[in-house]
Amino acid sequence: MQNWRSWLPNTLKYRLFVAYITLLMLPLCIAIYYLFQYFETTRQNDMIDRMSERMQQVYISLTDMMAFAYKSNTILSQDESLIQIMHNPDKYDPLERKKIVESKMFGINNSFFFHQTELYFRFIDRNGNVYTSYAPNSQLTNEREELQEWQTKLQAGSRPYRWVADDSNDVRSSQGSKLLSLYLMLNDELRGNYGLARISINVQEWFHNTLKDNPANQGLTIFTGRGETVLQNKEAAFSLDSMKRIISAQTQNGHYKDERTLSLVNYSYIEELDWYVVSQMPLNELQQEVRRLRLMIYMFLIFVVTAFMLMTFFLASRMTQPLSVLKRSMEEASDKKLNVKISINKGATDEIQSLSASFNRMIDDVVELIAKLKQEERQKQLVRFQMLLYQMNPHFLLNTLNTVKWMARKEKQEEISGICTSLGLILEASLNSDIELIPLKDEIQLLRSYESIQAFRFREQFAIVYETEEAVRYALVPKLSLQPLVENAIVHGFNRVEGHGTIWVRARAEGNELILEVEDNGIGMEEAARKPGRRSGHGIGLSNLRERVQLLFKQEGAVELISDGSGTLVRIRLPLLIAAPYSQEGDDRHVDDFIGGR
């Protein structure tokens, strides 16, 4: 615990400063960092989405061209005049026959004029005659063997057609050396096969047209399932390892981040051609955009943090400056003997002004209190001096009593010796001012000593009856608390002319209270007050006892007075405090008896 606290600033100003930075700026910086990470991820996903969209456009464009070829075959298969010419070529003039077939091909291309590239048609009829929609590189000859060869291949395959991705380009003055060709047999339900059709697409030309709308930094690659590159633009640099990764994934569509080339890769698979169309976008564009944004955010963050730190430091200084003044004033208070006052300007807050006013009042109160303490100290010294003087007389009396006691014993005056002994015990107890509470049994012993003195004086005119419970023998009571009450009963309570008086001294426990009672059967307070010299000191002794009980026990102690014509009862209520005596056998049976309620 002490280790981490040692790292904290000691002053309030710097603690406020550190708290503001930790609780406000640090969470703000963390939030901005995660927000930026979220933006970067979102931007990358957006780039992947745009690549996927572009990839889908390329895929759809190529599949549309293939669908164009299928539709062309459907149109040709439903053209009756073409079927007649191809089925019976000998019935027609060669030039007329060639003109009709080529017009059919031209009409199909015109019906799909909106496509990026045209289709190249090549037909072979039953007699081996060749018809093309383009100018071939070489002279056309009879191709009956090619017709028979393809008829065998297609009949052996699972489909009535076959795509050839690397067909030789025999179109004069066209781009590339390869064509994407669809081979199929021309069939009629009534007359059977009547020829072979090859519908070709110049993928190089199509690829070139597709790249016109392609982003400048986006690479586009088409390769086969065997890892052979078919088409690739100059921006693409697709490695063999990347091809193997895509092929091994065995999925129709997908994308991933290539850490080696730092690029995003998106791909689609064309099952009929066993081709993979792959789009590749370098992350440089994204990274440059992210770097620019990061620089802007960091510059803004540095500006905000710097401004916030300066403002925080300024506010912390303004808040703690009055406290620093208060601190210096408190440090100067002892050096200048409390002759220090704080002066706060009017622009300070209400709390600071209230604090300064409280400090000034505190200084005034402390100065006044110190003056009172000095006066009380002087009074205490005077009282102690007087007490020392007064203690000389009791000690002298005690020594004199001892002398008288030994003289009485020498003269065999036992009554005088007993009185001296009893009076000596009372004087010795009164001299011991350090002890305020004594066990009840010791208080009873002092009371018996006082009784022996008064019995000699009043000659059997009274009797004291002790009724105390054994369990409260060691209960603590104020020293000499019963003696003044018994003295009042003896001196002022009895009409000695009328006869003998009785005093009852009782002690018992009631719950958590100790009850002490002194009762007499005298004439009562009212009767005694009407006789001069009777009970004149009773009020003084009782008020003195009340004050002592109040000082020792506060609200837990009380003194009650009940008086009528048949006597007077004084009842003292004290907290029950048991001081068990030390015993080697551990015999504290009187305490156990009290706790057990016996």
Side-chain angles (χ1 to χ4, degrees), residues 368-467:
E368 183 180 356
L369 181 61
I370 290 176
K372 290 182 179 179
L373 290 176
K374 289 182 178 179
Q375 183 179 359
E376 291 178 359
E377 184 66 25
R378 288 193 294 268
Q379 292 176 351
K380 287 182 179 180
Q381 290 177 358
L382 179 60
V383 170
R384 182 168 180 79
F385 178 73
Q386 293 176 351
M387 288 179 61
L388 292 175
L389 290 178
Y390 293 153
Q391 283 181 354
M392 295 176 62
N393 292 331
H395 281 291
F396 173 74
L397 292 175
L398 186 60
N399 293 332
T400 303
L401 282 174
N402 288 329
T403 302
V404 173
K405 180 181 71 175
W406 289 110
M407 290 178 63
R409 287 185 178 180
K410 184 177 181 181
E411 297 295 332
K412 297 183 179 180
Q413 297 291 331
E414 296 299 331
E415 291 182 350
I416 298 175
S417 175
I419 292 174
C420 292
T421 300
S422 300
L423 183 58
L425 289 175
I426 296 174
L427 286 175
E428 186 176 2
S430 63
L431 287 175
N432 190 4
S433 59
D434 294 335
I435 298 177
E436 290 290 343
L437 299 175
I438 60 175
L440 177 62
K441 71 178 188 63
D442 294 340
E443 178 69 11
I444 296 296
Q445 183 180 0
L446 291 175
L447 185 57
R448 290 183 182 277
S449 298
Y450 175 77
E451 177 188 3
S452 65
I453 297 173
Q454 296 294 51
F456 180 79
R457 175 184 174 187
F458 291 101
R459 298 295 180 181
E460 305 298 333
Q461 292 185 9
F462 71 92
I464 300 178
V465 179
Y466 296 92
E467 299 175 357

Side-chain angles (χ1 to χ4, degrees), residues 103-168:
S103 65
K104 299 290 184 183
M105 299 175 179
F106 182 74
I108 294 174
N109 266 326
N110 285 340
S111 64
F112 297 99
F113 67 91
F114 52 86
H115 282 277
Q116 294 178 340
T117 185
E118 65 176 326
L119 297 180
Y120 299 97
F121 298 95
R122 184 171 183 269
F123 295 163
I124 303 177
D125 62 18
R126 295 177 61 185
N127 294 338
N129 298 314
V130 180
Y131 310 91
T132 63
S133 63
Y134 55 88
N137 289 328
S138 59
Q139 186 176 1
L140 297 177
T141 60
N142 189 286
E143 298 291 344
R144 185 182 294 270
E145 293 181 0
E146 182 180 355
L147 172 65
Q148 294 175 350
E149 179 182 354
W150 271 104
Q151 187 175 1
T152 303
K153 289 180 180 179
L154 293 174
Q155 288 176 350
S158 59
R159 296 176 180 176
Y161 62 89
R162 178 180 295 183
W163 282 97
V164 177
D166 54 351
D167 203 9
S168 297

